[in-house]
Amino acid sequence: MTTKRFSIGYALLLKKQKSFIQDSLVNLAKSRGIDLVKIDTEKPLVDQGPFDCVLHKLYGEEWRKQLQDYLILNPNAIVVDFPEAIERLHNRISMLDVVSEIEELDNDLRDGETASFGIPKQVVVYEPEKLSINETASFGEGLNLKFPVIAKPLVADGSAKSHKMLLVFSNEGFEKLKSPTVVQEFVNHGGVIFKVYVVGKYVKCVKRKSLPDIDEEKLDCLGGSLSFSQVSNLTSDERNDDRYYKMLDLEDAAMPPMSLIVNIARGLRKAMKLHLFNFDVIRDTKVGNRYLVIDINYFPGYAKMPGYESVMTDFFWDVLNKKEARLFNCEKEVMKLVDSNGECGEDTESHNVSSA
């Protein structure tokens, strides 16, 4: 008896292909009866395949239309994930607004203690350059943001420009900014950021070095801004700059309660209707048991996760066998959760959890 083989067509930019489509992943998937096939983006999607699943990280109206046309001809195919859901993460305000949708979660921990979560205070400034010449500029009525703040481009589309962020110590630090900017209050967090990878029901939490704490007493001596390529990584020169910071040994940093992390991951997954994403969490050192979600990214660098090949292959298997699937209704353009029996319903399965 011949076992059915599945075909997953992937449409990824070259950089993502090189990092994600490793021989180790391709071979492991193949051993499970899953063939990973590159989609030729120069040709219409409807002329390729057929694929049991389309895995992608492409954007734009043309690609969205291609996916819709493909699903009309192949109604049983699965798309991971739908552009409408992914687009929410391209705006740093709508991205974190989703956190408010899951604040009703039960956050009682197993040891009897409690923990809370949310997001830092933030506001959109559409003309940030004007803040540089106005010493009394207000970030937003009722927010009471205090320096230092992190200035992030409003658009988060994965481009190099969208990753250009500033740690701003005074109004002068806004002088080079021209485009709409999210101004987010900087929260001392022990120099550690927790990166949480979500692959369907699988949750992996790791800790990484981040911006070290800032002594409030030294703020008067700091002016302008400090540039860094990503909020969790200083440049090599800045890492060695002891005028501002000293780095923390990651071994000293306690992991957040996994029950809380899993609750957030599950809540985000259901609210955003996404399978593949990660989110960054920091611990507010002033509160201790208060955790803040500061960023959410679609289809992150999973190859950095140890053993990512088995995690992704298990996910592919579950998707292809309808345990982790979402169907697209071409008439109403809505997504529905599908349970292990292929029927629409709520996600009631437990999460596979890992931390490091």
Side-chain angles (χ1 to χ4, degrees):
M1 180 178 177
T2 302
T3 303
K4 173 179 170 55
R5 297 196 66 82
F6 295 102
S7 176
I8 295 181
Y10 62 87
L12 306 169
L13 295 178
L14 183 59
K15 183 178 180 180
K16 175 63 73 174
Q17 285 184 41
K18 289 182 176 179
S19 65
F20 183 75
I21 305 296
Q22 302 283 341
D23 288 344
S24 54
L25 173 64
V26 173
N27 293 333
L28 182 58
K30 185 176 294 185
S31 71
R32 296 280 298 274
I34 302 169
D35 298 318
L36 296 176
V37 181
K38 181 180 177 180
I39 292 173
D40 187 345
T41 55
E42 299 298 319
K43 299 178 181 178
L45 182 58
V46 292
D47 294 339
Q48 302 179 65
F51 304 113
D52 297 290
C53 175
V54 175
L55 179 73
H56 74 103
K57 192 178 181 182
L58 298 181
Y59 309 118
E61 285 302 315
E62 181 181 349
W63 176 246
R64 176 176 170 175
K65 181 65 164 56
Q66 286 202 51
L67 287 174
Q68 292 176 346
D69 291 345
Y70 185 83
L71 288 169
I72 290 173
L73 294 178
N74 302 273
N76 293 324
I78 300 165
V79 172
V80 178
D81 280 301
F82 285 90
E84 294 85 347
I86 298 172
E87 285 172 4
R88 183 170 189 171
L89 299 186
H90 292 170
N91 178 296
R92 284 196 164 92
I93 292 296
S94 63
M95 171 196 298
L96 294 187
D97 279 347
V98 71
V99 178
S100 64
E101 298 175 21
I102 61 173
E103 289 182 345
E104 300 299 322
L105 290 175
D106 179 8
N107 294 315
D108 291 335
L109 307 183
R110 293 171 185 172
D111 57 8
E113 296 182 0
T114 59
S116 62
F117 70 93
I119 63 173
K121 294 178 181 178
Q122 63 178 18
V123 68
V124 179
V125 179
Y126 289 96
E127 297 179 294
E129 69 275 16
K130 291 187 177 181
L131 293 178
S132 65
I133 58 176
N134 186 355
E135 295 182 357
T136 61
S138 172
F139 294 116
E141 184 177 355
L143 283 178
N144 298 318
L145 267 67
K146 299 178 181 179
F147 286 113
V149 295
I150 296 177
K152 308 178 181 182
L154 176 62
V155 176
D157 58 4
S159 65
K161 182 179 180 180
S162 71
H163 287 300
K164 290 184 178 180
M165 306 179 192
L166 295 176
L167 183 59
V168 182
F169 301 102
S170 64
N171 289 88
E172 290 77 12
F174 293 102
E175 60 185 4
K176 295 181 180 180
L177 298 176
K178 302 297 182 183
S179 57
T181 299
V182 173
V183 178
Q184 188 179 85
E185 189 167 88
F186 178 81
V187 177
N188 280 341
H189 52 282
V192 178
I193 191 169
F194 303 100
K195 303 189 81 69
V196 183
Y197 294 89
V198 180
V199 183
K201 296 179 178 66
Y202 179 88
V203 180
K204 175 79 171 181
C205 182
V206 300
K207 50 188 174 182
R208 297 284 185 265
K209 286 184 178 180
S210 177
L211 294 177
D213 292 347
I214 299 174
D215 189 341
E216 293 183 5
E217 296 180 358
K218 295 183 179 180
L219 280 179
D220 292 337
C221 302
L222 302 172
S225 61
L226 176 67
S227 176
F228 48 100
S229 59
Q230 294 181 343
V231 70
S232 59
N233 296 296
L234 289 170
T235 66
S236 58
D237 290 339
E238 288 160 351
R239 285 183 186 276
N240 298 323
D241 192 345
D242 293 330
R243 291 177 301 169
Y244 301 126
Y245 307 115
K246 62 180 181 179
M247 300 307 293
L248 175 75
D249 189 342
L250 282 179
E251 293 182 0
D252 296 335
M255 295 294 290
M258 280 308 298
S259 54
L260 176 70
I261 293 300
V262 169
N263 272 347
I264 298 174
R266 181 175 183 175
L268 289 175
R269 177 175 171 269
K270 295 181 71 174
M272 298 188 301
K273 299 180 175 63
L274 293 175
H275 291 83
L276 304 175
F277 63 93
N278 78 340
F279 58 97
D280 294 341
V281 178
I282 59 174
R283 179 191 290 114
D284 187 341
T285 55
K286 285 187 177 181
V287 181
N289 63 344
R290 175 73 172 171
Y291 294 86
L292 302 174
V293 178
I294 61 171
D295 200 14
I296 307 174
N297 300 288
Y298 182 69
F299 206 147
Y302 286 116
K304 298 176 183 178
M305 266 190 348
Y308 92 101
E309 298 92 341
S310 61
V311 173
M312 296 306 306
T313 300
D314 287 344
F315 168 70
F316 294 154
W317 179 259
D318 285 346
V319 165
L320 294 165
N321 286 277
K322 299 295 190 291
K323 293 179 181 179
E324 196 43 86
R326 295 185 190 281
L327 298 182
F328 184 81
N329 184 312
C330 296
E331 281 189 356
K332 298 182 179 179
E333 296 189 358
V334 296
M335 287 162 288
K336 298 179 181 179
L337 281 169
V338 177
D339 65 19
S340 58
N341 295 318
E343 299 295 335
C344 295
E346 289 300 316
D347 174 11
T348 58
E349 296 184 39
S350 60
H351 286 66
N352 184 3
V353 181
S354 180
S355 64

